[in-house]
Every structure is written in C-alpha cells, then in structure tokens.
Amino acid sequence: MASFITPTILKIFLIISLFQICLGVRKLSEVVEEQPQLLKYHNGPLLSGPITVNLIWYGKFKPSERAIISDFVTSLSSNPSSTSLKTQPTVAQWWRTTDKYYHFASKKSSLSLSLGKQILDEHYSLGKSLKKKQIVELASKGDQKYAINVVLTASDVAVEGFCMSRCGTHGSALSSTKGKRSSKFAYIWVGNAQTQCPGQCAWPFHQPIYGPQSPPLIAPNNNVGVDGMVINLASLFAGTVTNPFGNGYYQGPAEAPLEASSACPGIYGKGAYPGYAGNLLVDPSTGASYNAHGENGRKYLLPALYDPATSSCSTLV
C-alpha cells in the first residue's frame, strides 16, 4: 500500500467501507484500497449472448443527464470513431477485461451489450420512498429475456439502504412472462446521490465524509450526481455479467461477496491509495479528471477491474 495507515484509522476505514455486500451492492465511501484477492468461480452461469440494456428512469432526469448514461452504455461495445482517439483508453477497452472471466470459466460463448429501451417514470408512480421489492417491480418493466434492466432513481428519491449502506445494487428476479416457464432476469439499481450523499456515493467528485480529505476531482460531464452514477453503474455491470445469479465469480461469503470491481475499491488509476483515486487523465479545457473515452466525445471515470489473468486490479491509465 502506498501510504502509512495507523491501526485506529484502519479500523475506522473497515467500519465505514463495507464494500459491496450483495448480490452486488455498490457500497459507500470508496476511499480504501484493498489488496487484490483471487476471485473464485462457483460454477454458475454467466450472462452470455446478445444482451440488451434497458434503462428505467424513475423521477425527473434532464435529457442531458439521460444522454450521459445512455452514451456510456453504448460505449461499452463500441470504440470512438475519431482517428485521434485510436490510441487512447476507451470504455470498450475497460469492458474487455470481463471477457477474461469467460475464458477462465471455459465458456465458449461471448457477451455483447447494446442499449435497449428507455422507460420514463417521471411522475413517481410508486412514490418517493422505495423498498427493495419496488425496485424489482420497476426493473420488471423492461424486457426480461436476454436483458439487464437498470433502474436509475433521481436525486429526490429515497431508496431503502441508500446512503446508509449502499449506492446501488445488482441482483436477479423471476421473470413474469405469462404462459412460459419461469426464468431469472438480471437487474441493477443505482441512485443519484447529488443531494443526498455525494460525499459517499459520488466520490471522488465530492469531498468524502470520512477518511483523507483530498480535494474533489472535477466531474468529466460536469455533473457530480450523474458522473457518480456512471462509476457505480460501471462497477455493477461488471458484477452482473460475472456473477449474475450469486454463483459466478466472487470471493468471500455469498451474502457479502467481493466481485469484479468491488475487489478493487477506490482505485481508478495507477498509484491510487486511500483518499487518492490515482494518476488520471485531465481535460485541459475543463480540468476534469477521467480515464476513458466514450461515444459522442464523452469522457468517463471508471473503476479498476480485477483481472483474473494477473490476479491484480487493472486500470486503464
């Protein structure tokens, strides 16, 4: 580890961090670097084939905010077309680390993601305070076959456990398709922490509540809440495809596993240490920090992924 931590500080970090209890919870306060540990394959199915990502927007999001996330989803499977970016790190390059999990699981099938439907629920049909069962209800609005349904809640929506123990989660639920054999579909939920807990769920774009008080970074899309959502969504995508039903790749107890991204908390670039995201790229015109280029000229900050080929946390920069 790159910095000295006293036993007292370390104890505080362990108490507040509680990374990614789940099936795939994106936990609070990612300011602690953990030593990478081997993720074990538990012989369960991984998501494969062409998978559509359906976005369910719950509450009020500006069109510009929806575009930031939809462009990120599109960027997972397509490289920027600009010739000048051919040698630059991309979202698709970051995502290709997940391909290695299929190789090590001896899976011949491949995975491709594409943006599917976008469903708007701007009138808060289930209210502004949601329980887990209501998140599943919202996720069920999307197509349930060969899909990942992503529920995105606005900054004024309270979700059970949000800001107290988690920033997002992934899981699975039984399909409600009528007249057919029941099956499971994967879903993700991520909340906008802009007004509720940016210091917990939008770090490093906001001063952290706990731990070292490094200056916050400038968000690449000039939106602390939504850029924070992208970080959490990216982590949960990785956890979803490599551990969709709780018996894929993870380390530790099944009810509180470390997964492809949560095994590398707080790491975004080389040289990361507690409270420091690492050596990142900086946009000269805005001063924003990022590590990946995406579609439509987007820039994103994405978390490190555990690389099963090297048994280490892999970063783009």
Side-chain angles (χ1 to χ4, degrees):
M1 188 162 302
S3 65
F4 178 76
I5 304 177
T6 66
T8 300
I9 293 176
L10 180 59
K11 183 178 180 180
I12 293 173
F13 282 176
L14 292 175
I15 292 173
I16 65 174
S17 297
L18 296 176
F19 295 109
Q20 295 240 28
I21 296 174
C22 128
L23 241 178
V25 171
R26 185 64 175 177
K27 279 294 181 178
L28 300 178
S29 197
E30 288 215 334
V31 295
V32 181
E33 177 184 4
E34 297 285 344
Q35 293 298 320
Q37 301 181 49
L38 181 65
L39 298 190
K40 181 180 178 181
Y41 180 48
H42 294 79
N43 300 315
L46 310 181
L47 292 189
S48 61
I51 301 291
T52 57
V53 177
N54 301 307
L55 304 179
I56 297 101
W57 302 91
Y58 188 81
K60 297 187 183 300
F61 286 89
K62 297 176 182 177
S64 59
E65 293 176 325
R66 296 199 299 269
I68 292 170
I69 290 182
S70 59
D71 282 346
F72 167 66
V73 174
T74 302
S75 300
L76 290 169
S77 56
S78 62
N79 286 302
S81 56
S82 174
T83 303
S84 62
L85 297 179
K86 295 297 184 183
T87 60
Q88 296 297 312
T90 65
V91 175
Q93 180 184 344
W94 172 84
W95 184 246
R96 280 197 290 272
T97 297
T98 62
D99 291 341
K100 299 180 182 181
Y101 286 81
Y102 291 76
H103 172 74
F104 279 86
S106 299
K107 301 292 186 183
K108 295 181 179 179
S109 56
S110 59
L111 171 73
S112 64
L113 298 182
S114 62
L115 183 62
K117 297 179 180 178
Q118 298 200 48
I119 300 170
L120 304 184
D121 188 338
E122 297 180 302
H123 301 293
Y124 307 90
S125 63
L126 300 178
K128 291 188 176 183
S129 181
L130 304 179
K131 302 289 187 182
K132 178 182 177 181
K133 65 178 183 180
Q134 292 170 307
I135 293 295
V136 174
E137 181 179 343
L138 289 170
S140 299
K141 292 177 179 289
D143 295 334
Q144 297 169 14
K145 189 174 183 181
Y146 302 112
I148 300 173
N149 293 334
V150 180
V151 177
L152 302 147
T153 51
S155 59
D156 58 349
V157 177
V159 178
E160 183 179 17
F162 187 38
C163 294
M164 298 181 65
S165 62
R166 57 183 180 172
C167 304
T169 188
H170 81 80
S172 62
L174 287 176
S175 173
S176 59
T177 305
K178 295 181 179 180
K180 295 184 178 181
R181 184 179 178 182
S182 62
S183 60
K184 290 183 178 180
F185 71 93
Y187 71 87
I188 292 172
W189 158 71
V190 176
N192 186 331
Q194 176 74 59
T195 58
Q196 296 186 54
C197 55
Q200 294 165 298
C201 293
W203 185 85
F205 302 130
H206 191 279
Q207 203 85 13
I209 293 179
Y210 307 103
Q213 296 297 298
S214 301
L217 304 179
I218 297 175
N221 295 286
N222 197 33
N223 191 309
V224 170
V226 176
D227 277 304
M229 292 179 82
V230 169
I231 290 175
N232 296 322
L233 180 57
S235 175
L236 291 166
F237 267 136
T240 297
V241 302
T242 59
N243 187 31
F245 307 117
N247 53 5
Y249 279 97
Y250 66 87
Q251 189 254 338
E255 64 275 11
L258 289 178
E259 298 179 327
S261 177
S262 59
C264 304
I267 303 173
Y268 298 87
K270 289 180 174 61
Y273 56 82
Y276 175 62
N279 301 318
L280 304 173
L281 302 175
V282 178
D283 187 320
S285 61
T286 65
S289 296
Y290 68 99
N291 59 9
H293 292 270
E295 284 293 293
N296 295 321
R298 297 282 184 192
K299 297 179 176 68
Y300 296 104
L301 183 63
L302 305 178
L305 292 180
Y306 179 83
D307 187 334
T310 61
S311 298
S312 64
C313 294
S314 174
T315 60
L316 284 171
V317 298

